[in-house]
Amino acid sequence: MVDRQSGPVCLQRRAVPMSSTDSTAARAPLMALDEALQRLLAQAHPLARVESVSTFDADGRVLAADLVSALQVPPQDNASMDGYAVRAADVSHAGAVLRVSQRIPAGAAAHPLEQGTAARIFTGAPVPPGADTIVMQEDTEAVGGDVHAVRFHRVPEADQWIRRAGEDVRRGAVVLPQGARLSPASLGLAASVGCARLDVAAPVRVALFSTGDELVMPGEVAPADMRAGAIYNSNRFFLRALLRRFGCEVSDLGIVPDRRAATVAALKSAADHHDLILTSGGVSVGEEDHIKPAVEQLGALDLWQIAMKPGKPFAHGTVRRDAGAGVDADRPCHFIGLPGNPVSSFITFLLLVRPFLLRLQGVTDDAPRSIALPAHFTLGKPEKRREFLRVHRNAAGGLDLFPNQSSGVLTSVVWGDGLVDHPAGATIAHGDLVRFIAFSELLA
């Protein structure tokens, strides 16, 4: 996984290809995670759909074109403090007294400053022509209670407390680039240059469904009445929330039975009206895992087994649309199949699906930042696959390891606040610097 790094060291990441055999034939080596991500993103061509939205409603959306300022900000020199605008040369010593020749509130026009006078000025008000500095009111006093004269307690420096015209934004400057994911601060900046509406990438339309006869929805069956082998469908809840967090329009298609015909029908129906089909479960190699052959029947499957833990069974491909499909009939629908184990599904979404979705919306700067932090745990047994350990930052500035790193223990990602990107074949001693990726980075 390509990421932005900061911290005292640069840690090498390694992914070791593996090969194994089953009872019939040797399987292909596992694909390194970096290669899988590269191949996945190579297929994530930005969608062409653009929509105009109110700047008020654009938080989290992706800008579809450069935002160019038609004005400069501030539009003219203005005061950054309440006080008095003067010529610095007129206040050559502490105790100097000047007549107040005008009063300039914010939003008012300023007249040229008379020689040897001061202008009462307020924050945001335009600096009068001829003034070259502002003295804040705390460094002054009215003379004898007369508001038309002021005494200065200290000699000012030139240019102090003046915000110069265009120091924030120059006319014609690109203030927000195409592909920027808009934040509350971005919306304020867009408003500061007069933009009431913004052109943004239309939401990615995603069809979401789970596979597995063992899955039960919360509320349908009480815990005491669960049949043997049944489990509640937790993946559906966090995947739906994650998709919405990354600006997607989600169609929740529920749970598809573990039957080939049902899986084919679900894929075929979803492809006609969506940009991406995201499934959970059924991408392994068991007899009841029908996603792989179903996708291959309707299109093509590109990715299969990845050398990472958790999350080895991952699939990417395409599903053909019918000629009369309402959405991009000439382009196939993307397909991504996540593993069924909840932690595997959660982490593969963050590491692979997240950047894929951002690329579809035109974002190019999608790599999460990582930092080097000390491990306050030991890991003596090396793994054959690159591993993503659930950890929590402690009060001492180090990382604690969740004791159970099983791919089925969803409490590990609730307790943890990030992942350690742990290379294959390596061990960790207490105090070693490891590469930490915060969930706040992966969820941003």
Side-chain angles (χ1 to χ4, degrees):
M1 181 183 62
V2 178
D3 61 28
R4 293 187 295 271
Q5 300 176 34
S6 61
V9 296
C10 179
L11 304 174
Q12 183 180 5
R13 293 166 298 164
R14 292 169 288 163
V16 179
M18 295 174 56
S19 62
S20 59
T21 58
D22 58 20
S23 57
T24 56
R27 296 177 186 169
L30 301 184
M31 182 179 295
L33 175 58
D34 287 347
E35 180 185 352
L37 180 60
Q38 183 179 11
R39 291 181 58 179
L40 184 66
L41 295 184
Q43 301 300 316
H45 305 297
L47 303 174
R49 300 190 307 274
V50 174
E51 60 186 31
S52 174
V53 299
S54 166
T55 302
F56 277 121
D57 301 323
D59 184 34
R61 304 298 293 271
V62 177
L63 201 59
D66 288 347
L67 180 60
V68 178
S69 178
L71 74 162
Q72 60 183 8
V73 180
Q76 64 274 317
D77 294 351
N78 69 83
S80 62
M81 285 283 182
D82 290 350
Y84 295 86
V86 298
R87 291 179 177 87
D90 290 338
V91 186
S92 59
H93 62 279
V97 176
L98 297 179
R99 178 174 62 88
V100 178
S101 57
Q102 61 177 304
R103 184 177 184 274
I104 315 170
H111 303 292
L113 184 66
E114 296 178 29
Q115 186 77 32
T117 70
R120 181 71 167 112
I121 196 166
F122 298 89
T123 302
V127 176
D132 60 11
T133 192
I134 306 292
V135 181
M136 62 181 179
Q137 63 186 24
E138 291 87 345
D139 292 333
T140 67
E141 66 173 325
V143 176
D146 185 352
V147 296
H148 295 295
V150 61
R151 176 179 286 113
F152 297 90
H153 294 311
R154 62 179 61 185
V155 177
E157 298 178 2
D159 293 324
Q160 69 181 21
W161 309 123
I162 295 178
R163 292 183 291 219
R164 292 299 182 186
E167 71 175 30
D168 186 7
V169 177
R170 295 287 185 183
R171 182 181 290 106
V174 175
V175 294
L176 292 169
Q178 178 181 354
R181 194 160 183 235
L182 298 169
S183 66
S186 303
L187 305 188
L189 180 57
S192 76
V193 298
C195 291
R197 301 189 67 82
L198 294 168
D199 289 338
V200 296
V204 180
R205 290 177 280 210
V206 182
L208 173 68
F209 66 83
S210 304
T211 64
D213 290 339
E214 75 279 10
L215 298 177
V216 175
M217 284 298 292
E220 293 180 352
V221 180
D225 299 327
M226 292 278 280
R227 68 181 186 275
I231 58 172
Y232 286 119
N233 186 2
S234 60
N235 295 19
R236 184 173 172 185
F237 286 82
F238 66 71
L239 290 176
R240 181 171 170 172
L242 286 168
L243 288 167
R244 287 182 170 176
R245 177 165 292 205
F246 289 104
C248 297
E249 186 179 281
V250 184
S251 300
D252 189 339
L253 305 185
I255 301 170
V256 175
D258 274 333
R259 292 188 293 277
R260 172 79 170 271
T263 305
V264 169
L267 290 169
K268 189 172 182 181
S269 175
D272 287 348
H273 302 286
H274 296 89
D275 306 302
L276 169 67
I277 301 169
L278 182 68
T279 68
S280 174
V283 296
S284 192
V285 292
E287 294 179 1
E288 298 300 320
D289 294 324
H290 300 296
I291 289 291
K292 182 176 185 291
V295 173
E296 291 175 332
Q297 177 180 332
L298 298 172
L301 198 69
D302 297 325
L303 305 182
W304 187 224
Q305 299 275 301
I306 301 176
M308 62 180 288
K309 181 181 180 181
K312 181 175 71 171
F314 178 91
H316 169 258
T318 54
V319 178
R320 293 186 300 273
R321 295 186 171 104
D322 287 339
V327 179
D328 298 330
D330 57 333
R331 297 172 59 186
C333 178
H334 292 288
F335 167 83
I336 291 179
L338 300 177
N341 281 323
V343 179
S344 299
S345 187
F346 185 80
I347 290 178
T348 50
F349 184 101
L350 294 180
L351 299 183
L352 292 162
V353 181
R354 169 191 174 274
F356 185 83
L357 292 171
L358 293 177
R359 289 290 179 94
L360 289 181
Q361 296 173 77
V363 177
T364 55
D365 185 17
D366 52 46
R369 297 176 183 86
S370 65
I371 59 175
L373 290 176
H376 287 180
F377 60 89
T378 60
L379 203 66
K381 181 182 178 182
E383 272 290 334
K384 294 181 179 179
R385 286 179 279 161
R386 181 175 172 183
E387 191 170 13
F388 291 88
L389 306 167
R390 279 76 74 203
V391 294
H392 186 88
R393 296 182 74 165
N394 58 38
L399 300 172
D400 295 327
L401 182 71
F402 193 77
N404 188 340
Q405 292 288 315
S406 168
S407 60
V409 180
L410 198 54
T411 49
S412 66
V413 295
V414 176
W415 172 88
D417 53 16
L419 304 171
V420 166
D421 184 355
H422 181 50
T427 59
I428 298 174
H430 193 285
D432 283 353
L433 289 175
V434 293
R435 178 169 296 163
F436 173 73
I437 307 171
F439 282 141
S440 59
E441 275 289 313
L442 293 164
L443 295 172

